[in-house]
Amino acid sequence: GEDVEQSLFLSVREGDSSVINCTYTDSSSTYLYWYKQEPGAGLQLLTYIFSNMDMKQDQRLTVLLNKKDKHLSLRIADTQTGDSAIYFCAEGGLDDKIIFGKGTRLHILP
Amino acid sequence: DGGITQSPKYLFRKEGQNVTLSCEQNLNHDAMYWYRQDPGQGLRLIYYSQIVNDFQKGDIAEGYSVSREKKESFPLTVTSAQKNPTAFYLCASSIRGPEAFFGQGTRLTVV
């Protein structure tokens, strides 16, 4: 079945870049997503990438996709305290199912 | 303003009771989803619906039921058959494309 894996924790110093990694198993995925969740809240879509793209950049966010290795990464440049949250990788296909990883908790060090 | 609304924000259930969580969207989205979130478990798909009057089981449907009588509404009932219902429940909707929008969640606690 489909599975999405990501590391559970990441600590980064304020001002440095954060890189959150994710692997997925479903080669038929059409979209790959990054969502952000702040405490006690729902999920906010940060960005998504079509499976036929290699890279997408949106301000401080850069998404890289290696389709051969089924590896997705999210880079946050100049990490700020407001970036502290849980980041979820997810994959979706034409069947409308969206499968999420367990989330990576990003902790910002002063 | 368009959006997706879950209610209530907090819900308490006694052992053996059924409870229904509300999810309403005015985004004219076709697809709607229910997820359960437990600490360290991420989001697990309970049910999803691609169209009115149709829905599919997700990975953890046992002990839950849904209906999709209207495009705007996708209520989730947590039945007494669900042995460990305490969790954070998230509803989402999408236009059958890449962007799924989430509600703010309902925290259900068994007392």
Side-chain angles (χ1 to χ4, degrees):
Chain A
E2 308 100 334
D3 197 17
V4 178
E5 299 280 344
Q6 53 184 129
S7 55
L8 295 182
F9 299 100
L10 178 66
S11 291
V12 173
R13 294 211 174 274
E14 190 176 357
D16 287 351
S17 291
S18 306
V19 179
I20 304 172
N21 294 302
C22 167
T23 57
Y24 61 98
T25 57
D26 188 355
S27 57
S28 66
S29 296
T30 305
Y31 311 107
L32 295 137
Y33 310 82
W34 285 103
Y35 281 85
K36 177 182 181 181
Q37 185 182 36
E38 297 183 359
L43 272 67
Q44 172 196 354
L45 177 65
L46 283 178
T47 187
Y48 65 89
I49 189 168
F50 289 98
S51 59
N52 61 358
M53 295 170 63
D54 298 324
M55 186 182 96
K56 181 178 181 181
Q57 187 157 3
D58 183 3
Q59 299 182 329
R60 291 191 299 124
L61 304 178
T62 303
V63 177
L64 294 177
L65 174 61
N66 181 329
K67 194 170 181 181
K68 175 176 168 290
D69 295 338
K70 298 190 186 68
H71 182 268
L72 183 74
S73 68
L74 173 69
R75 178 177 179 270
I76 305 172
D78 186 24
T79 307
Q80 304 297 309
T81 54
D83 295 324
S84 179
I86 301 176
Y87 290 82
F88 289 93
C89 173
E91 58 96 6
L94 297 176
D95 63 357
D96 291 328
K97 280 179 71 175
I98 304 175
I99 305 298
F100 287 82
K102 293 185 178 180
T104 299
R105 185 178 294 274
L106 178 62
H107 177 61
I108 314 303
L109 301 167
Chain B
D1 284 334
I4 180 166
T5 303
Q6 289 185 243
S7 61
K9 190 172 173 67
Y10 299 97
L11 186 57
F12 297 90
R13 190 193 94 167
K14 292 183 180 178
E15 295 272 0
Q17 273 186 340
N18 292 354
V19 289
T20 297
L21 283 59
S22 170
C23 179
E24 303 276 333
Q25 53 97 1
N26 60 5
L27 300 165
N28 199 33
H29 285 173
D30 292 311
M32 296 187 74
Y33 311 80
W34 274 106
Y35 290 90
R36 170 179 170 142
Q37 186 178 24
D38 296 282
Q41 291 288 324
L43 275 69
R44 292 183 289 170
L45 183 64
I46 305 172
Y47 270 99
Y48 68 108
S49 167
Q50 296 166 290
I51 197 167
V52 173
N53 292 323
D54 189 39
F55 46 83
Q56 286 78 41
K57 292 182 180 180
D59 300 318
I60 56 164
E62 186 175 347
Y64 299 97
S65 66
V66 292
S67 63
R68 188 84 187 276
E69 296 176 3
K70 297 186 298 182
K71 189 176 187 177
E72 304 79 25
S73 178
F74 191 41
L76 173 73
T77 297
V78 184
T79 75
S80 57
Q82 171 49 241
K83 297 306 176 191
N84 185 23
T86 294
F88 190 50
Y89 290 87
L90 285 160
C91 179
S93 69
S94 76
I95 200 164
R96 305 198 73 184
E99 298 191 35
F101 294 88
F102 280 80
Q104 290 300 300
T106 294
R107 188 165 297 280
L108 173 63
T109 304
V110 174
V111 295

